[in-house]
Amino acid sequence: MNPAPPSFPTSRRPRHKTVAAWLAFLGGIFGWHRFYLHGWGDVWGWAHAIPTALGAWGLERVLTYGQDDKLSWVLLPFLGLSLVAASLSAILYALQPPQRWNARHNPQLAPDDPAGQTNGLTVLAIVLALMVGATAFMAGLAFSFQRYFEYQVEQGLLISQ
C-alpha cells in the first residue's frame, strides 16, 4: 500500500510572509497573493478578478457618462470592495505569528524559520495597506450613500410634482 503523497512537496520553495503581504497589497485585487501561496490553480485567486473587473467597468462608466450613470452606482463599489479585501489580506498575512505562518504555508520548515518572520518591509506593508484599505472603504461608503440620497431626493421631487 502506497502512502498518500504529502500535501506540499519537499522541494517547494519557502513562502515568505513579507512577499505575500506585499503581493496582497500591490496585486491583491488580481489575486497575486493567492497565486503565490497556492499556485495558478487556485480558484479563489482567479475569483478576485471578477469584482475588480466589475468595479473597473463602473469607473470607466463614470468617466465616460458622468456621475449620473446609475449602473456605475452599482458597479463602482466593487472596485472599493476589491481594494479593501486586498488590503485586509495584506494585513492578516503580515500580522500572523511566524509559527502559524510556517505551519500553514511552510510545513517543511522549522516553526521559527525566517520565511515567517516580520521585518521592516512587513510593517511598511501593514501601514500602507491600512491607509489604502481605510481610504477605499470610506470612499466607497461615501460614494454609495451620496448616490443613494441623491436618488431619494430625485424620487421625492417626482412624487411632489
Side-chain angles (χ1 to χ4, degrees), residues 1 10 13 21 24 46 48 70 72 80 86-87 89 98-99 107 118-119 122 127 132-133 137 147 149 155 157 161:
M1 196 188 240
T10 55
R13 285 185 278 163
W46 292 107
H48 280 274
K70 289 185 172 78
S72 68
S87 296
S89 294
Q99 297 80 10
T118 302
N119 58 38
T122 316
V127 170
V132 170
F137 181 67
R147 291 290 157 214
F149 288 121
Q155 294 303 311
L157 291 174
Q161 292 180 1

Side-chain angles (χ1 to χ4, degrees), residues 68 70 73 149-159:
D68 293 331
K70 289 185 172 78
W73 298 1
F149 288 121
E150 287 176 357
Y151 178 74
Q152 291 299 319
V153 168
E154 288 174 13
Q155 294 303 311
L157 291 174
L158 289 176
I159 292 173

